[in-house]
Amino acid sequence: MKMNRKDRQLRLNFYMAVAAIVFLSCGYPDGAQQNKKKAEDSSKASASNGASDKTAASSDPVIRAMREELERSKSQVKMENVAAPYYIEYRLSDVTEYSAEATFGALRQNQLTHGRGVRVVVRVGNYKQDSYYGPGVGVVEFAPLDNDDIALRRQLWMATDRAYKMASEALAGKKALLSQYSAEQPFDDFAKAPALQSIEPLAKLEYSAEVWEKALAKSTDLYRSDAKIQSLWARATFRSVNEYFVNTEGTITRQGNTWYLVQLSGETQAEDGMRLGRSPFYMTAKASELPDPAKLESDTAKMLETLKRLREAPLVEEDYRGPVLFSNDAAGDVFFGMIGNNVLGIRPKPGDSARTIGKFSSNYKGRVLPAFLSVVDDPTMKSFQGHTLIGNYEVDEEGVRAQTVAVVTDGMLVDYLLGRMPIRDFPDSNGHGRAAPGQAPGPNIGVLIVKPKDALSTEDIKKRLIALCKEANKAYGYYVETLSGYEPRLLYRVYVNDGHQELVRGAVFNELDTRTLRNDLVAAGNDPLVSNREGPVPSTVIAPSILFDELEVKRTDKKNAKLPEYPPPALTPGR
Amino acid sequence: MEAVENGVLKNFLMSRMPNKYFDHSNGHGRRQPGLMATGRQGNLIVTSTNMVPDAELRKKFIEEIKKQGKPYGLYFDDIQGGFTMTERSMPQAFQVLPVMVYRVYADGRPDELVRGVDIVGTPLLSLNNIMVTGDTMQVFNGICGAESGWIPVAAAAPAMLFSEIEVQKQHKGTERPPILAPPEPSHASSSKTPSKARS
């Protein structure tokens, strides 16, 4: 097929368009000019309660346009033979993202994008049963970047019209589907929530593109120090999201967040062909907390040094079943995946009687962790031991105020994290309905904190590891420093006789799962580590190191690749 | 590079991938970044030895309408694009998506803007129906998509009078128009009643 076209009349989704803006915005020196106006706005509206909220709400041109069009839609949208909407919401996300990437001493990409998407949800029916299903979950459109009242409202008008028409279709489809199942749904489709007015300052990125681009290039120039380094890159991604939300229940919120992510990645191959990689990163809510160029460079050097040590490290040949100590970094990954994901109150599809889609669906009031561990999600926490937390927010993407939720108390599952979509026995939102720009909200963690009782010092937990090994008649135990997924990246043998550590490679865990976490954990450290995590929704896990009395470590069955057929090009100093 | 000479195909636009009859590239190996190059169009220029001034062309058009005993002919002024099926396994057909189409009446009535037709056909048959061309070249700059991706191309050609061309009715949507009227500036909208439910 061969095609010609003058106009590209493609319907892009929000992300594609943000990508499209890339080409228009390459070469902006930094985000400063674009955000200048917003900075002015934010200084005007930095109050966050009562009467000043109302003033700020009426002076913000985006909120004003959204409210006007919402009012018109609420009072007038109606087709004959179709019920009028009982609920309408508008959520506008204003996203600015800067990214730059360098490899082998030179920049290979930089871009600044600024885009706005608006998501319109129109619900037909009532709280008990409504149209939020299939085509009825909302319409996403781009929105104009300037604050022109009529331009914004025109976009909202068309999106509302489409969302209403699709909602009526969705409700009919949902009723038809539910008629195939016998059981009545014992909870509402949509949770009621109090009207909330909260106007927070707008967020704005602060960085110097020039400084970062130089720093990334310089750090990756260290590839010259090691001929066996096959890939070395560094990337900075900085994002600000300002969310504007209004609904027909009277909720009006505005909030802004920023996150700053700097990633390093290096890859090499051992003599036997095993691919070895490391990918440390820094993620913060404030630019000032990022490493400076000198620190980035020394950390890159450190990473290259560990890659070299990994290359020379002995292979894990024999299966091991015994005590394993996880560092706070590795434990953060485990708690994020195995606890964080399973305490989300995500409702299964219509007709499915399970409480949630997670592994803890039927564990309410049951034990999911040892009794010495409790887990709380507190999105209102802004920082911990001097580190900013990117999982912090005051109001979720459904306009509900964030609540601190104890999900696991003394090892027992006592609650789920919930948005406004109720699940069996949990009729209300606890302010965890979160969403990426343009996406439908759903339960997500904010700041998940694992709190141990009788926590051991770093020294004592290592002593405990050795004591357990002695009991089990082992010459050594294992200590995991970092994970990639649930596989160890930096894994050490800790010898019983003199306590020395030996880096090893080529191992995986067998049966590291929620059952192991519940039954085989015997101690936790007093060394909580903040782990800010990138994802569709920014989140944070704070976890201590943990000790398993029994876990299986075995040799990986991954195939090794061949080494390069010929050496790298010669370095020519002085050029 | 002359591809068609006096109506006869002489050359293909070639990349460095030879075929049975042509073993050299003529510098038309083009691609979108990241894809493999194939023979593609650059600046395609159509010239004619049977030209008349554009005003004359319109007269000839009306004469032909009368001769064929039709009440009107169609004048395609602007298109948004089109596509051709070039796979061996498919019929070699093309479709052009016009946006500005006029009925030109034989009886001298003013031209009438119409909508809802596409041009369809097979290239060899359709292009052999060109009777005469105008004398003014027009340039089309566009993005062309094929095996090697989307690339910028240009084509220049005069107006052409076809004795016969096939058109088909466009797919027609039945979506309801918006329920509310568009928003109006807020200082005016509060007191007025700008919108009324349409049924």
Side-chain angles (χ1 to χ4, degrees):
Chain A
M1 178 91 80
K2 203 167 176 292
M3 307 169 83
N4 269 290
R5 64 191 183 200
K6 272 186 187 168
D7 317 305
R8 294 201 178 193
Q9 291 181 324
L10 294 176
R11 188 163 279 283
L12 303 167
N13 70 32
F14 184 53
Y15 287 102
M16 284 169 72
V18 170
I21 304 167
V22 168
F23 295 101
L24 304 175
S25 59
C26 275
Y28 276 159
D30 59 43
Q33 299 125 307
Q34 288 205 335
N35 290 310
K36 209 166 148 193
K37 189 160 175 355
K38 277 189 253 166
E40 285 159 11
D41 289 349
S42 73
S43 59
K44 275 182 218 155
S46 51
S48 62
N49 53 22
S52 50
D53 268 8
K54 279 181 190 137
T55 328
S58 57
S59 71
D60 184 304
V62 176
I63 295 271
R64 199 171 53 225
M66 288 167 80
R67 288 176 70 188
E68 272 176 44
E69 199 51 30
L70 184 71
E71 201 44 55
R72 200 170 75 102
S73 302
K74 182 184 170 184
S75 58
Q76 299 179 31
V77 168
K78 165 90 177 78
M79 286 192 289
E80 49 182 293
N81 303 325
V82 178
Y86 81 95
Y87 173 91
I88 304 173
E89 75 177 34
Y90 296 159
R91 179 161 62 92
L92 185 142
S93 312
D94 184 302
V95 182
T96 302
E97 187 175 298
Y98 165 78
S99 70
E101 194 173 291
T103 188
F104 298 133
L107 203 65
R108 68 175 170 193
Q109 179 265 102
N110 66 345
Q111 62 187 46
L112 176 66
T113 61
H114 182 200
R116 270 183 182 174
V118 66
R119 192 161 181 284
V120 171
V121 178
V122 174
R123 289 174 183 255
V124 177
N126 51 48
Y127 289 90
K128 174 83 191 133
Q129 187 179 63
D130 71 18
S131 56
Y132 196 80
Y133 166 75
V137 300
V139 167
V140 181
E141 294 282 358
F142 298 114
L145 286 180
D146 69 5
N147 293 334
D148 184 274
D149 177 66
I150 283 299
L152 277 167
R153 288 179 58 198
R154 201 153 178 125
Q155 196 69 73
L156 291 167
W157 163 60
M158 288 308 291
T160 309
D161 190 82
R162 207 147 61 84
Y164 174 55
K165 287 167 180 168
M166 285 162 86
S168 58
E169 177 193 333
L171 183 56
K174 187 182 199 172
K175 281 182 172 162
L177 178 74
L178 286 172
S179 69
Q180 297 173 35
Y181 303 101
S182 55
E184 178 100 341
Q185 183 175 285
F187 43 80
D188 285 358
D189 263 354
F190 191 43
K192 293 202 171 71
L196 171 66
Q197 303 211 349
S198 160
I199 303 292
E200 287 180 44
L202 291 163
K204 172 187 167 247
L205 290 178
E206 280 165 4
Y207 65 96
S208 158
E210 201 190 334
V211 168
W212 275 105
E213 286 166 18
K214 267 191 199 152
L216 298 174
K218 189 140 183 271
S219 286
T220 59
D221 200 46
L222 293 175
Y223 78 93
R224 292 166 182 275
S225 66
D226 186 345
K228 289 182 176 160
I229 288 297
Q230 296 179 358
S231 126
L232 176 62
W233 56 257
R235 182 192 297 151
T237 314
F238 305 153
R239 181 186 267 212
S240 72
V241 180
N242 285 302
E243 297 264 12
Y244 303 78
F245 181 95
V246 298
N247 72 18
T248 47
E249 295 167 333
T251 291
I252 302 166
T253 68
R254 183 183 82 181
Q255 74 178 333
N257 285 299
T258 53
W259 55 251
Y260 298 81
L261 171 65
V262 175
Q263 296 160 281
L264 290 173
S265 170
E267 274 174 22
T268 190
Q269 247 180 313
E271 273 313 300
D272 56 16
M274 181 176 284
R275 290 197 185 283
L276 300 161
R278 290 228 51 209
S279 45
F281 66 93
Y282 317 84
M283 196 167 195
T284 65
K286 274 190 190 156
S288 57
E289 264 176 72
L290 289 171
D292 64 14
K295 165 91 170 129
L296 187 69
E297 200 177 345
S298 66
D299 282 1
T300 310
K302 225 180 273 171
M303 178 184 83
L304 294 177
E305 177 54 32
T306 32
L307 280 171
K308 190 164 171 243
R309 279 170 46 219
L310 265 175
R311 226 160 41 206
E312 291 154 5
L315 276 168
V316 168
E317 297 283 4
E318 301 302 326
D319 288 3
Y320 167 97
R321 178 170 270 281
V324 180
L325 176 62
F326 278 55
S327 73
N328 47 15
D329 183 329
D333 290 356
V334 171
F335 284 114
F336 174 75
M338 294 186 192
I339 300 295
N341 282 337
N342 290 322
V343 296
L344 307 180
I346 301 172
R347 188 196 294 178
K349 60 183 193 301
D352 188 334
S353 62
R355 184 183 283 122
T356 73
I357 62 166
K359 288 215 173 87
F360 296 164
S361 165
S362 51
N363 291 81
Y364 178 49
K365 301 236 165 122
R367 201 162 69 80
V368 294
L369 281 174
F372 65 88
L373 288 179
S374 295
V375 181
V376 170
D377 194 274
D378 182 5
T380 63
M381 196 187 259
K382 283 186 165 54
S383 69
F384 180 81
Q385 294 180 352
H387 299 279
T388 53
L389 311 176
I390 66 161
N392 161 249
Y393 61 93
E394 298 302 323
V395 179
D396 71 10
E397 276 76 26
E398 295 178 313
V400 177
R401 192 169 286 291
Q403 289 173 27
T404 302
V405 180
V407 281
V408 179
T409 302
D410 301 332
M412 301 277 260
L413 180 73
V414 292
D415 212 341
Y416 294 91
L417 301 180
L418 292 152
R420 290 188 67 176
M421 192 184 273
I423 55 171
R424 186 154 43 85
D425 307 322
F426 296 86
D428 295 310
S429 168
N430 50 32
H432 284 79
R434 306 192 63 203
Q439 302 294 303
N444 212 301
I445 67 166
V447 178
L448 191 80
I449 310 150
V450 180
K451 297 180 171 175
K453 240 185 252 165
D454 310 320
L456 302 177
S457 69
T458 311
E459 201 182 316
D460 285 348
I461 203 165
K462 275 210 171 143
K463 274 188 194 156
R464 185 80 192 275
L465 168 71
I466 289 176
L468 285 172
C469 288
K470 274 185 185 158
E471 273 171 38
N473 243 344
K474 302 271 178 199
Y476 57 80
Y478 276 107
Y479 167 61
V480 201
E481 195 176 313
T482 60
L483 292 177
S484 164
Y486 291 138
E487 287 185 7
R489 269 233 157 132
L490 291 182
L491 179 69
Y492 299 85
R493 282 184 185 141
V494 183
Y495 284 87
V496 171
N497 53 0
D498 60 358
H500 86 276
Q501 293 193 173
E502 177 190 35
L503 183 66
V504 294
R505 64 185 167 99
V508 293
F509 297 119
N510 197 23
E511 293 172 348
L512 174 58
D513 53 23
T514 51
R515 193 198 56 82
T516 321
L517 207 56
R518 182 179 69 230
N519 294 334
D520 301 331
L521 267 187
V522 291
N526 63 357
D527 54 352
L529 178 81
V530 170
S531 162
N532 284 321
R533 312 184 72 94
E534 191 200 5
V537 177
S539 57
T540 303
V541 174
I542 302 175
S545 50
I546 46 174
L547 178 60
F548 291 92
D549 67 348
E550 192 171 79
L551 185 64
E552 196 174 329
V553 179
K554 58 173 199 169
R555 193 185 163 152
T556 177
D557 52 8
K558 249 185 225 153
K559 300 267 185 302
N560 289 341
K562 280 184 84 173
L563 290 167
E565 292 298 326
Y566 59 109
L571 299 171
T572 48
R575 271 187 60 189
Chain B
M1 224 281 305
E2 206 149 6
V4 177
E5 202 180 320
N6 299 325
V8 179
L9 177 70
K10 294 285 187 180
N11 277 302
F12 286 112
L13 303 178
M14 296 293 294
S15 68
R16 289 188 64 178
M17 188 184 280
N19 64 32
K20 199 171 167 187
Y21 305 104
F22 297 90
D23 62 358
H24 274 81
S25 167
N26 46 32
H28 284 81
R30 305 186 67 200
R31 58 164 168 80
Q32 138 184 347
L35 297 182
M36 201 178 87
T38 58
R40 299 290 296 272
Q41 175 182 342
N43 293 327
L44 189 82
I45 298 145
V46 182
T47 51
S48 161
T49 52
N50 185 15
M51 290 187 294
V52 295
D54 286 356
E56 180 80 8
L57 189 66
R58 186 178 164 90
K59 269 186 210 152
K60 284 192 181 287
F61 180 27
I62 293 171
E63 271 168 30
E64 183 64 22
I65 298 167
K66 284 180 180 158
K67 196 176 116 195
Q68 292 190 19
K70 306 227 185 240
Y72 60 82
L74 291 177
Y75 169 51
F76 296 91
D77 187 36
D78 192 16
I79 61 153
Q80 58 169 314
F83 55 89
T84 309
M85 291 190 275
T86 51
E87 289 86 4
R88 282 248 168 105
S89 57
M90 300 292 287
Q92 305 292 294
F94 71 87
Q95 184 166 357
V96 174
L97 314 168
V99 278
M100 297 300 283
V101 185
Y102 298 86
R103 272 187 192 144
V104 174
Y105 287 96
D107 62 10
R109 264 182 283 167
D111 294 353
E112 182 190 11
L113 182 64
V114 294
R115 61 193 163 97
V117 289
D118 287 341
I119 301 173
V120 292
T122 50
L124 295 183
L125 199 64
S126 305
L127 295 177
N128 275 304
N129 290 334
I130 301 171
M131 300 166 68
V132 57
T133 74
D135 62 352
T136 315
M137 297 288 274
Q138 284 250 14
V139 173
F140 172 102
N141 283 319
I143 307 287
C144 173
E147 294 83 349
S148 65
W150 293 94
I151 56 168
V153 297
M160 295 171 184
L161 174 60
F162 286 76
S163 60
E164 207 169 66
I165 208 160
E166 189 176 343
V167 295
Q168 69 180 21
K169 206 169 172 186
Q170 273 173 6
H171 170 76
K172 181 171 147 282
T174 51
E175 271 180 57
R176 286 172 78 147
I179 300 162
L180 300 187
E184 284 182 6
S186 46
H187 56 266
S189 68
S190 49
S191 54
K192 278 190 199 167
T193 48
S195 41
K196 191 171 151 264
R198 265 185 240 164
S199 48

